Amino acid sequence: RMIQQTRKKKEAPRFNDIAAADMAAKLSSGRSDFGEGCLNEPMRIFSDLGVNEATVNNLSREQDGAAGELALHQTMERAGQCVVGILERCDDTKAVIAAYLPFLAPFFSCEVKHFNSARVQNKKELSDEQKLALSEVAKYEIRAYEGANAMLDAQLLASK
C-alpha cells in the first residue's frame, strides 16, 4: 500500500542572495516538486542525457566537458528539425508558426500571460561575480539559447 506524506516545503532563497561561490552547487542540486532541476532544460528535452537529472544538471561541472558537448550537439541537431519558438521573441515565433504550421497559427497568441511574467518584488541586480558564476554553470544552456535564436532567425528568413 502506498503511503503519501506531506513534507514541509523549504523556502527557496532569492536568486540574487545566492553567493557566487555557492551558485554552481545550488543550481545543480536544486529540484522542482517534480524532481527536475533548473539547469540545462534544452538538454533535458532533446539529448539522451535528459533522463538523468544528476548528469544533466552537472554538465558544466564535469572535468573534460565531453558529456556537455555531446548533450549540446544532440540538442542542436534534434532542435534543428523543429519549428523553433522563443518566448522573448513572440512576434517572430508567431510568424514562423504561421509559415510552417499554419493550422496552429490561429491558436497562437502573443497576448497570453505567461507564468514567468510576474514581477519580482525587491529585485536586486546580480553582482558581476554572480553573473560570471551563472554564465559558467549555465554555459551549455546559453549556447543552446544562442543556437535556438540563430535557428529562429533562419526559419524567419526562409519563411519570407
Side-chain angles (χ1 to χ4, degrees):
R1 170 170 99 153
M2 186 171 134
I3 299 173
Q4 293 183 345
Q5 297 177 337
T6 58
R7 61 183 169 89
K8 200 171 196 172
K9 274 189 172 181
K10 198 165 93 173
E11 186 70 26
R14 287 184 178 271
F15 192 69
N16 51 15
D17 289 337
I18 299 173
D22 298 334
M23 205 162 276
K26 295 272 189 195
L27 290 177
S28 57
S29 64
R31 299 288 186 273
S32 72
D33 288 341
F34 305 104
E36 293 180 337
C38 61
L39 279 176
N40 300 318
E41 188 65 19
M43 279 59 77
R44 182 176 291 105
I45 295 169
F46 288 109
S47 81
D48 294 341
L49 301 177
V51 295
N52 186 325
E53 284 300 318
T55 300
V56 83
N57 283 314
N58 286 289
L59 291 174
S60 65
R61 300 177 85 190
E62 64 177 3
Q63 293 292 65
D64 65 359
E69 291 299 325
L70 172 66
L72 181 63
H73 175 77
Q74 289 176 337
T75 296
M76 300 315 295
E77 185 176 88
R78 292 170 183 167
Q81 299 172 20
C82 300
V83 173
V84 176
I86 296 178
L87 184 62
E88 297 85 6
R89 295 180 59 189
C90 192
D91 291 332
D92 291 342
T93 298
K94 186 173 183 168
V96 168
I97 287 174
Y100 291 100
L101 304 168
F103 55 92
L104 289 179
F107 306 102
F108 188 86
S109 171
C110 290
E111 286 73 43
V112 173
K113 187 129 176 111
H114 299 283
F115 289 119
N116 67 347
S117 63
R119 292 186 51 98
V120 175
Q121 300 299 320
N122 302 320
K123 181 180 172 185
K124 295 187 297 187
E125 286 294 317
L126 295 177
S127 69
D128 289 341
E129 293 82 19
Q130 287 171 312
K131 288 177 185 175
L132 182 63
L134 179 60
S135 68
E136 179 57 32
V137 76
K139 65 184 176 186
Y140 294 111
E141 192 158 9
I142 291 167
R143 287 172 56 196
Y145 183 74
E146 290 167 350
N149 270 287
M151 287 179 202
L152 180 58
D153 289 338
Q155 289 175 351
L156 192 60
L157 185 63
S159 70
K160 293 181 179 182

